[in-house]
Amino acid sequence: MDRLSLRNQLQVYRTPYEEESPFIADFLELTQDPLAYKRERLAGHFTASAWIVNKKRTHTLLTLHRKLGRWLQLGGHADGNENLIEVAMKEAQEESGLQSLRLVDSTIFDLDKHIIPERPHVPEHFHFDVRYLLEADIQEPLQISEESISLAWIAFDSVVDMIGYNPSILRMLEKTSKSEILL
């Protein structure tokens, strides 16, 4: 995958979720920016995430993010890599230690544009997050990276209790439940 492949996928991407639909045009526009995949684009840049589920589709792996203090899917900055599938896989492996990770589908699973708060030496900016569906062996031991406070496989029916209201996470959870790519 490269910038052109992402653009092609975005052009055909459809979602029934009203809150996700407006992101498509913003993501398409960003593909035209030479700095789109770099943190140096201070207004916002591409990131990639992995929505990791177990093979039976009963649990998702979430991280308690150290800097943001919230339960989130695993993922991170592209740092110049235009292959966002590679970015999602790399970040998922680095943040979990999982070797059993498998890409379920190479098409976009979800899109989310969200604000990242200002921190010392980093202004407030947007993450244009492209998400991919991955699966992993729930029995494989997890290794917490320095980016996380904790990692946990959370049962689908316990996600809301664990994370509270996060429309982005709840949307991916609902997509997983409705997915035809089940087993």
Side-chain angles (χ1 to χ4, degrees), residues 3 30-38 41 44-47 78:
R3 186 181 299 254
L30 184 57
T31 63
Q32 301 300 317
D33 191 311
L35 295 177
Y37 295 84
K38 297 184 177 186
R41 187 177 186 279
H45 40 262
F46 281 122
T47 58

Side-chain angles (χ1 to χ4, degrees), residues 7 14 20-21 30-31 70 87 90 109 123 132 136 138 166:
R7 185 166 181 75
R14 300 293 176 264
E20 185 183 18
S21 290
L30 184 57
T31 63
R70 298 174 53 204
V87 174
K90 175 181 165 278
F109 179 68
Y132 297 94
I138 197 170
N166 179 328

Side-chain angles (χ1 to χ4, degrees), residues 18 38 50 63 69 92 135 167 177:
E18 288 181 22
K38 297 184 177 186
T63 178
E135 72 176 27
S177 300

